[in-house]
Amino acid sequence: MAEKTPNQQLAEKLLFKPAYVGDKSAAVKQEAHAFAEGYKKFLDAGKTEREVAAESEQMLKDAGYQQFDPKKTYAPGDKVYFSQLGKAIVASTIGTRSFEDGFHLVIAHTDSPRLDLRPTPLYESDHFSYFKTHYYGGIRKYQWGTMPLAIHGVFSRADGTTVSVNVGEDENDPVFCITDLLPHLGAEQGERKLSDGIRAEELNILIGSDAVDDEEVKEAVKLNTMILLNEKYGITEKDFARAEIEIVPAYKSRDVGFDRSMIGAYGHDDRVCSYAALKALLELETPTKTAVCMLADKEEIGSMGVTGMQSAFFDTFMEDLCESQGVALRVCYESAFCLSSDVTAAYDPNFAEVYEKRNDAQVNHGLGLCKYTGARGKGGSSDADAETVAYVRRVMDEAGVVWQIGEMGKIDAGGGGTVAQYMANRNITTIDAGVPVLSMHAPFETVGKLDCYMNYLGCKAVYLA
């Protein structure tokens, strides 16, 4: 091999070339593929925030975590968790150092864009029965037509009992759909803007066409549908007003590509980070600083509500832990560090015009660090300082985690926010990092297996730092 010229040596020393995880050893690829199998099972088991919380709680129990008791004092190595209304989870492994020295936190969110049933959703039209929906989060409405859909959620009955609903996932289940026009009659619809290809009031779920055999009943198809629901779940139409019913894609996660290097599924945003954060926590023994994993709800609509990141339940959990050691919560927060683990947009060569390739994350190039998110002039971003970025880079480099820097496309092309700002508002040093996603917020998103694995290693590195 020819000896490198002085300028070639300087280029290696001074210039930055993003790493490609595929250049790592074959063992890393094997580990990434093995990790992906567990992640796919997690995805398929939890398509709603309630289901993710239930799956996470079971994983915590299986790993020896106990329900948190604020009256107890916990010792290094103790493992505790708390479930907020069965829709959000916070878990911790107690470290050897005092809470006075802070803690290491990884947060992610478990909700994903979807369709929710409206309070009075059931209606009949021209011998079809339908559910009216209200979309949740930032969806591209036209993407939800003509695909198999499943119905998940809970009904709260008049007597206070709750019944779960999950129809469309088993191969023997019926599925549901939103119909669309055939091309032969779609000329006028084709003149609409893409965002109006299917309008919000057209996102109606087709659920039946059979009727009761009684000419005196005006809404015979609707009644037949309601009879079936009553027989299976013991509900009446009034009970929809006290239900949480969500419409999600009916298919399972699948490998993508001849090489199986990617995963296609509903809900990567942000369950790919939720799984990594939780899986990394479960494998800890006794960390130096206390490790905390927070899986929150409601991020897609602003983190509001009692299960969202703006809720006080996280502060209550941490305050109880701190009080057991006689440490003020504010002192703990001042010394804490948070990795806000949320996905970022992956550069897509098909739509290169809205990306800025030098500053956007790419699939299978590693964990995407995001110094800031927000829209246009960094609006809605916590914007991590230089010292925080340097700290995270050092932690990742020392742990052998392949990382890259990511933004959300061209400056004025759009943008997006995360929950990082809510931790920063608590005076906790925070930075965003996550997996690059193709087709983000679509019913079928795509991620690279190597990125998923690096995200998991990154979460573990933060817990152990």
Side-chain angles (χ1 to χ4, degrees):
M1 182 179 293
E3 185 176 342
K4 292 179 181 178
T5 68
N7 283 335
Q8 286 177 320
Q9 295 174 24
L10 285 172
E12 288 185 358
K13 179 180 179 182
L14 300 178
L15 301 183
F16 173 68
K17 181 182 179 181
Y20 173 56
V21 188
D23 291 335
K24 302 284 279 186
S25 68
V28 170
K29 290 185 179 181
Q30 291 174 357
E31 291 164 4
H33 281 265
F35 177 82
E37 293 306 304
Y39 170 51
K40 287 189 293 184
K41 290 178 182 177
F42 180 83
L43 269 179
D44 294 339
K47 287 192 174 180
T48 71
E49 66 284 356
R50 282 181 182 269
E51 292 171 352
V52 175
E55 182 71 8
S56 300
E57 184 173 7
Q58 188 59 55
M59 290 170 66
L60 287 161
K61 288 179 178 178
D62 292 344
Y65 283 73
Q66 303 293 320
Q67 285 197 0
F68 176 65
D69 183 348
K71 297 178 182 179
K72 288 186 177 180
T73 299
Y74 292 99
D78 285 345
K79 302 173 185 289
V80 295
Y81 78 92
F82 173 75
S83 174
Q84 175 74 345
L85 301 179
K87 298 175 72 176
I89 296 284
V90 57
S92 177
T93 301
I94 308 302
T96 56
R97 292 173 64 174
S98 166
F99 279 104
E100 200 168 43
D101 297 323
F103 58 97
H104 289 150
L105 167 68
V106 180
I107 58 176
H109 69 89
T110 59
D111 59 319
S112 295
R114 60 177 189 259
L115 304 178
D116 287 344
L117 292 197
R118 297 170 85 162
T120 306
L122 181 60
Y123 74 100
E124 178 178 333
S125 179
D126 298 294
H127 222 279
F128 291 114
S129 58
Y130 293 93
F131 278 148
K132 296 290 291 183
T133 69
H134 192 142
Y135 65 92
Y136 173 98
I139 71 168
R140 307 191 77 182
K141 295 182 282 292
Y142 73 89
Q143 294 177 335
W144 286 77
T146 64
M147 62 183 294
L149 299 170
I151 297 176
H152 294 234
V154 295
F155 283 100
S156 183
R157 299 192 187 101
D159 62 2
T161 58
T162 299
V163 59
S164 296
V165 177
N166 187 323
V167 184
E169 298 295 346
D170 187 275
E171 62 180 12
N172 295 314
D173 283 349
V175 295
F176 312 91
C177 67
I178 297 166
T179 59
D180 197 2
L181 281 173
L182 64 162
H184 314 69
L185 298 177
E188 185 176 333
Q189 181 194 37
E191 297 300 315
R192 297 179 183 178
K193 293 192 304 181
L194 183 62
S195 59
D196 286 332
I198 293 180
R199 295 176 175 138
E201 293 296 342
E202 295 169 342
L203 292 171
N204 303 314
I205 312 298
L206 180 61
I207 58 173
S209 64
D210 198 5
V212 296
D213 187 15
D214 190 334
E215 295 180 356
E216 299 302 315
V217 176
K218 292 183 179 180
E219 296 182 304
V221 179
K222 175 181 175 180
L223 177 60
N224 186 66
T225 299
M226 199 64 244
I227 289 172
L228 295 172
L229 291 171
N230 178 263
E231 289 175 349
K232 186 165 186 178
Y233 302 110
I235 61 167
T236 67
E237 188 176 2
K238 282 185 179 180
D239 292 320
F240 282 104
R242 48 175 171 248
E244 286 185 1
I245 306 297
E246 302 173 12
I247 310 300
V248 299
Y251 40 72
K252 298 184 183 299
S253 57
R254 299 288 296 272
D255 286 346
V256 172
F258 288 117
D259 54 10
R260 297 182 176 269
S261 61
M262 297 167 286
I263 306 170
Y266 164 71
H268 286 314
D269 180 11
D270 184 36
R271 292 164 194 151
V272 65
C273 296
S274 296
Y275 179 73
L278 182 61
K279 180 73 171 172
L281 182 79
L282 297 180
E283 295 178 358
L284 297 180
E285 293 299 332
T286 303
T288 303
K289 287 190 176 183
T290 292
V292 182
C293 174
M294 168 76 169
L295 305 181
D297 183 22
K298 295 290 186 284
E299 190 274 345
E300 297 295 354
I301 57 172
S303 296
M304 313 295 185
V306 72
T307 55
M309 191 56 74
Q310 295 198 66
S311 169
F313 81 88
F314 172 76
D315 304 289
T316 301
F317 176 82
M318 291 308 308
E319 187 170 18
D320 287 337
L321 281 177
C322 288
E323 283 185 354
S324 69
Q325 294 185 3
V327 176
L329 182 64
R330 64 172 182 81
V331 172
C332 179
Y333 278 1
E334 287 169 359
S335 300
F337 172 76
C338 171
L339 188 75
S340 174
S341 193
D342 202 347
V343 298
T344 188
Y347 172 77
D348 189 339
N350 263 343
F351 303 98
E353 64 276 7
V354 297
Y355 291 91
E356 208 288 282
K357 189 174 181 180
R358 284 168 297 212
N359 287 289
D360 287 334
Q362 298 186 50
V363 171
N364 284 329
H365 282 65
L367 174 63
L369 300 180
C370 300
K371 184 180 185 297
Y372 49 81
T373 55
R376 296 169 177 87
K378 298 185 181 181
S381 173
S382 62
D383 201 356
D385 57 39
E387 292 82 359
T388 300
V389 178
Y391 168 74
V392 173
R393 283 184 52 181
R394 184 170 65 253
V395 168
M396 299 302 169
D397 287 343
E398 291 176 353
V401 178
V402 179
W403 56 270
Q404 57 184 317
I405 292 291
E407 290 193 48
M408 193 74 80
K410 288 184 176 178
I411 294 172
D412 284 334
T418 72
V419 295
Q421 58 184 309
Y422 307 119
M423 284 299 142
N425 289 344
R426 290 171 163 95
N427 200 24
I428 297 176
T429 301
T430 307
I431 190 171
D432 281 297
V435 172
V437 178
L438 293 167
S439 308
M440 188 191 297
H441 280 212
F444 192 79
E445 302 170 313
T446 301
V447 297
K449 291 182 178 180
L450 295 173
D451 296 329
C452 296
Y453 185 59
M454 288 299 151
N455 186 36
Y456 151 74
L457 293 180
C459 292
K460 181 178 283 189
V462 167
Y463 289 139
L464 294 173

